[in-house]
Amino acid sequence: MRNYLVYIKVEVSGRMPARARMQSPQAYVTPCFSVDKLFWEEQESRRLFVIGSSTSLALAFAIREQINRQVSKSGGAFTEAVVDELRGMVSGLVNETNRLYGQRVAVEASSPSAAEAYFSVSPWNQPQYESSEASAYPSHLSNTLTMTHKQLIKEAAQLYGQISGRALFLDEIERLSEKQGQPVSFMQEALQWLVLQEKTEIYPGIRLELRKGIVRHTLTFRCQRCGSERHILLCTCHTCGQGCAYCTACLDMGRSKCCTPYVCTAMPKHDNRAVIESGASPLQWSGQFSPAQSFAAEHARRFVASGNQSGRFLIWAVCGAGKTELIFPAINETLAKGGQVLVATPRKDVVLELVPRLARVFPTTKVIAVHGSSLEKWKDAQLVISTTHQVMRYYRRFDLVVVDEVDAFPFRGDEMLYRAVERAAADEGKCLFLSATPPRELTRKLVRKKFFQIAPSSATHVMLPLRYHGHLLPVPQVVQERQLERKMRTGVRMESLLGAAADTLDADRQLFLFVPRIEWIEHVVDYMVRFLPATDGIVAGVYAADPDREKKVMLFREKRLRLIVTTTILERGVTIPRSDVIVLGADDGVFDEASLVQIAGRVGRSADAPDGMVRFITAGSSRVPHAAVKQIKRMNRLGLSVRKEQVHHG
Ligand SMILES: [Zn+2]
Ligand SMILES: [Zn+2]
Ligand SMILES: [Zn+2]
């Protein structure tokens, strides 16, 4: 078991021992005290006071925090009496942590079994550490270094190059260092050296915090990786043998626990003068922007170029606006200054599609794909295209982070995404969000209004209300069909559905028929074949877990299927020219305003067929489908004014 020692370092001033003053106390946690001793011995006049040790990194860390809070609050002279006081405080903290952990064990169903104590600290009775007294320490704490000082410095420097700009668990660092072909032999020691140099920080995967209220104290658990406080479960742990807990919110990226060292290393500032002076443009693209695209792309570029203000920017572009090209100038701006860019997108297939596309227009830039099973995951590059999950593995690294389809992330509406994105950005890095249906969280903060209307642009946003072909969005019709589900199941003729579907098929167009739930698919397919026998053989249903999903979508693309009955999985991504959309049960809770806008966005995307039909069939009267229609109409109004403005300027 790894043992974490907590000690306090003080600076000693005054040459005469009798008049020496101790000041600037600071607490540290270390798994290898010998490295710390070596580090402080290099610097003059340091004295170390050991407080105790624990196998729980989270507890050692909580003790460190408490001590640092206490000493910064009390100020005054630091004496050995203060050390004794702090030791007393620590044992109080451990007792209180045990009591509160025990309370939670009693109420949580999946908890470890009840015990006398969950946490323990081996106290330290020696008054203080002097380098000459090293032999007085138990062997596991005074473990003599098995490497030379020079070796340690060399390994630390090598490791720093590998981990900078990343946030990883210790076992991930071991894998990374191996995959990069330069394994570090004294990992623990090299890491601790970097901690002491303030180049990296090591946290417990789950942090413990004792919060003292006026009435009662609470023990909170917080996942250092994803920031979750609510999805933490207590567990019996064989790694630390102490009270432990793990996070279920980010579990699919590996287990974050109280005793897993989580290493966060900022990217050091690099010297970019050579790149800037070369003046070469990394972007080699001969495509043409529409006037509206050019307006949006230029605003995004200016946001990235602006030196002083950092932060977030939103490109609110309708479905089919041609979003990918919009970010070329912003990416170019960053790369030309020698900066690094991360493009994060929710789906792996989009990552795989973007990489060759970006590599083509940035031919001299190294572009890599980073997703769960990617071999390039551990490599470094100027332009990284990754899935959202992988964003959590970066730390204060990128000068520009582009977040594509921000509303489609697995944690929609969750703080987790913003936290991960902002953490992946370098200190003065910028975050650029792209969406057709941005979450309120972003529009509230970034979209400025002018005379109660959305402004076409501001310092923090730009609107792209027109599709690349310049046409407006088809406006959905909302039609109510009472007892929709019963009629569908019992085979009652519904003209609202059948008439519209027949019109589409007769016009030699294709139809997306969205349904709220998988169970509907079979019934709807039967219903269509029964009332429109001509659809027999050209209709199919598809859902997320459908083993034939890809094949059916391909047949639909090839027009061998004309009508596809689907759940929300085809809400985005699949684009079919000359297609219409009907949403059955559009007032069902699975469709929110954003997903209805996305679904409507399937229609009229190609330049030669920019129009089409979108129909929301509802059973009751819900506000949501109407809100989606309102949003689309608002975009169209904005689109019209942009078009007028362009004529005026042209
Ligand atoms: Zn977590
Ligand atoms: Zn543990
Ligand atoms: Zn004008």
Side-chain angles (χ1 to χ4, degrees):
M1 260 174 222
R2 230 174 253 136
N3 215 333
Y4 297 94
L5 185 82
V6 184
Y7 69 92
I8 301 172
K9 175 218 66 181
V10 290
E11 290 167 19
V12 185
S13 68
R15 292 192 175 274
M16 308 288 279
R19 263 180 279 158
R21 274 173 53 87
M22 295 191 283
Q23 56 203 14
S24 316
Q26 206 182 342
Y28 290 83
V29 170
T30 179
C32 36
F33 192 42
S34 48
V35 171
D36 295 62
K37 283 188 287 183
L38 180 65
F39 184 84
W40 297 120
E41 271 165 17
E42 276 192 335
Q43 313 189 11
E44 270 181 26
S45 313
R46 298 286 189 279
R47 237 150 111 184
L48 312 179
F49 294 91
V50 176
I51 297 297
S53 68
S54 173
T55 52
S56 167
L57 177 56
L59 182 65
F61 204 82
I63 291 171
R64 184 194 96 165
E65 297 292 280
Q66 182 107 330
I67 291 175
N68 283 338
R69 262 199 305 273
Q70 185 63 30
V71 292
S72 72
K73 207 165 56 189
S74 58
F78 191 83
T79 60
E80 277 166 34
V82 174
V83 178
D84 286 338
E85 257 170 57
L86 289 172
R87 288 198 178 114
M89 184 190 78
V90 166
S91 78
L93 171 81
V94 175
N95 290 342
E96 192 61 2
T97 304
N98 270 324
R99 189 180 69 80
L100 293 167
Y101 191 90
Q103 274 181 4
R104 185 149 159 180
V105 165
V107 294
E108 212 174 81
S110 60
S111 279
S113 49
E116 286 277 299
Y118 303 91
F119 295 96
S120 64
V121 166
S122 315
W124 194 255
N125 300 317
Q126 306 293 324
Q128 69 180 72
Y129 165 76
E130 299 279 358
S131 56
S132 56
E133 291 172 14
S135 55
Y137 286 74
S139 59
H140 72 281
L141 295 178
S142 67
N143 57 330
T144 37
L145 283 172
T146 49
M147 85 211 81
T148 65
H149 190 175
K150 227 168 133 189
Q151 237 176 336
L152 177 61
I153 289 171
K154 188 174 151 262
E155 291 236 306
Q158 179 193 326
L159 183 63
Y160 187 43
Q162 293 172 343
I163 63 174
S164 59
R166 297 180 188 266
L168 298 169
F169 285 118
L170 187 55
D171 61 323
E172 292 174 319
I173 291 186
E174 276 154 7
R175 235 177 308 149
L176 165 88
S177 144
E178 229 162 78
K179 285 275 154 61
Q180 291 196 344
Q182 283 187 304
V184 173
S185 18
F186 299 97
M187 181 63 78
Q188 189 100 271
E189 288 80 2
L191 268 178
Q192 186 60 18
W193 193 258
L194 294 175
V195 169
L196 293 164
Q197 290 182 308
E198 296 181 2
K199 286 179 174 164
T200 191
E201 285 164 279
I202 300 183
Y203 301 98
I206 306 288
R207 280 174 80 160
L208 278 181
E209 201 192 336
L210 186 65
R211 288 181 192 162
K212 295 186 173 176
I214 296 171
V215 181
R216 58 178 175 268
H217 299 173
T218 49
L219 187 63
T220 57
F221 299 85
R222 185 165 206 268
C223 178
Q224 189 67 22
R225 176 166 62 187
C226 73
S228 175
E229 281 190 17
R230 279 168 304 169
H231 303 97
I232 312 288
L233 292 180
L234 306 187
C235 62
T236 312
C237 179
H238 300 291
T239 311
C240 62
Q242 301 269 298
C244 202
Y246 69 99
C247 176
T248 58
C250 60
L251 191 57
D252 50 348
M253 295 191 70
R255 200 169 281 240
S256 170
K257 290 196 298 188
C258 285
C259 53
T260 37
Y262 185 52
V263 184
C264 300
T265 316
M267 193 85 172
K269 277 241 171 295
H270 33 242
D271 185 4
N272 295 329
R273 272 170 303 183
V275 186
I276 297 169
E277 276 160 21
S278 81
S281 165
L283 178 63
Q284 302 291 324
W285 181 59
S286 52
Q288 275 276 324
F289 280 134
S290 74
Q293 272 181 317
S294 152
F295 177 79
E298 174 57 14
H299 272 79
R301 189 199 62 79
R302 264 190 256 160
F303 157 74
V304 170
S306 64
N308 43 0
Q309 112 241 35
S310 65
R312 303 166 167 187
F313 188 90
L314 171 67
I315 301 181
W316 187 345
V318 294
C319 302
K323 277 183 296 150
T324 308
E325 300 85 52
L326 288 187
I327 60 174
F328 291 173
I331 292 176
N332 190 47
E333 187 74 34
T334 310
L335 293 176
K337 286 184 188 153
Q340 297 197 9
V341 180
L342 172 68
V343 179
T345 181
R347 292 187 312 262
K348 181 179 144 188
D349 48 330
V350 179
V351 171
L352 297 178
E353 184 195 308
L354 275 177
V355 169
R357 218 166 142 192
L358 288 167
R360 223 175 299 129
V361 296
F362 294 104
T364 55
T365 304
K366 187 173 175 197
V367 187
I368 58 168
V370 172
H371 53 83
S373 52
S374 126
L375 295 170
E376 295 183 313
K377 186 158 61 175
W378 305 120
K379 290 193 182 148
D380 293 332
Q382 292 144 280
L383 182 48
V384 177
I385 321 298
S386 89
T387 50
T388 337
H389 264 85
Q390 300 297 328
V391 175
M392 276 199 249
R393 293 210 165 101
Y394 291 108
Y395 190 75
R396 290 165 64 190
R397 179 188 194 108
F398 296 99
D399 304 277
L400 173 63
V401 181
V402 180
V403 186
D404 183 25
E405 292 196 56
V406 51
D407 55 301
F409 277 87
F411 13 80
R412 174 146 95 187
D414 206 324
E415 267 303 301
M416 214 190 264
L417 167 69
Y418 301 108
R419 188 184 122 94
V421 165
E422 240 140 57
R423 236 175 45 152
D427 283 350
E428 280 154 31
K430 316 250 171 166
C431 302
L432 187 58
F433 296 97
L434 281 152
S435 178
T437 47
R440 199 140 295 167
E441 154 81 16
L442 277 185
T443 55
R444 205 163 37 82
K445 286 184 184 153
L446 302 181
V447 177
R448 300 278 169 270
K449 295 204 168 170
K450 206 170 142 190
F451 306 119
F452 306 105
Q453 298 285 330
I454 289 175
S457 70
S458 73
T460 52
H461 89 285
V462 68
M463 303 297 295
L464 179 43
L466 288 172
R467 291 181 151 177
Y468 74 94
H469 52 50
H471 291 265
L472 300 181
L473 299 165
V475 177
Q477 317 143 352
V478 184
V479 183
Q480 195 177 358
E481 185 73 64
R482 285 182 199 287
Q483 300 199 309
L484 171 64
E485 193 170 356
R486 188 189 60 80
K487 285 177 181 165
M488 190 251 305
R489 284 179 196 274
T490 56
V492 177
R493 200 178 166 84
M494 291 184 279
E495 207 48 44
S496 60
L497 168 62
L498 296 168
D503 286 348
T504 292
L505 297 171
D506 282 343
D508 198 26
R509 295 170 66 87
Q510 286 172 274
L511 182 65
F512 286 97
L513 189 44
F514 284 88
V515 296
R517 263 174 296 280
I518 295 177
E519 310 88 77
W520 284 47
I521 291 177
E522 203 190 324
H523 295 291
V524 172
V525 169
D526 290 348
Y527 183 95
M528 297 311 283
V529 173
R530 174 167 172 195
F531 287 102
L532 302 174
T535 60
D536 197 6
I538 55 165
V539 57
V542 67
Y543 52 94
D546 188 343
D548 295 328
R549 173 176 157 186
E550 273 166 40
K551 193 175 140 211
K552 286 174 184 169
V553 170
M554 198 184 71
L555 289 173
F556 192 56
R557 281 187 197 281
E558 291 170 351
K559 292 180 77 173
R560 287 199 275 167
L561 287 174
R562 309 303 295 263
L563 167 55
I564 199 156
V565 182
T566 175
T567 55
T568 53
I569 52 147
L570 296 188
E571 172 186 312
R572 43 185 105 208
V574 179
T575 295
I576 307 283
R578 297 179 54 77
S579 59
D580 293 324
V581 160
I582 295 176
V583 183
L584 263 189
D587 52 339
D588 190 285
V590 306
F591 300 110
D592 60 11
E593 186 181 327
S595 66
L596 288 174
V597 171
Q598 289 285 352
I599 287 170
R602 299 296 96 218
V603 177
R605 291 169 81 116
S606 65
D608 55 341
D611 303 312
M613 183 256 320
V614 182
R615 174 169 286 202
F616 296 154
I617 302 181
T618 65
S621 56
S622 154
R623 193 196 56 82
V624 176
H626 294 281
V629 173
K630 207 171 134 191
Q631 192 185 127
I632 289 167
K633 284 184 172 167
R634 196 174 58 184
M635 271 298 187
N636 281 345
R637 270 201 304 279
L638 208 57
L640 274 178
S641 68
V642 165
R643 243 179 5 201
K644 267 190 218 133
E645 187 74 358
Q646 281 161 6
V647 171
H648 169 82
H649 283 284

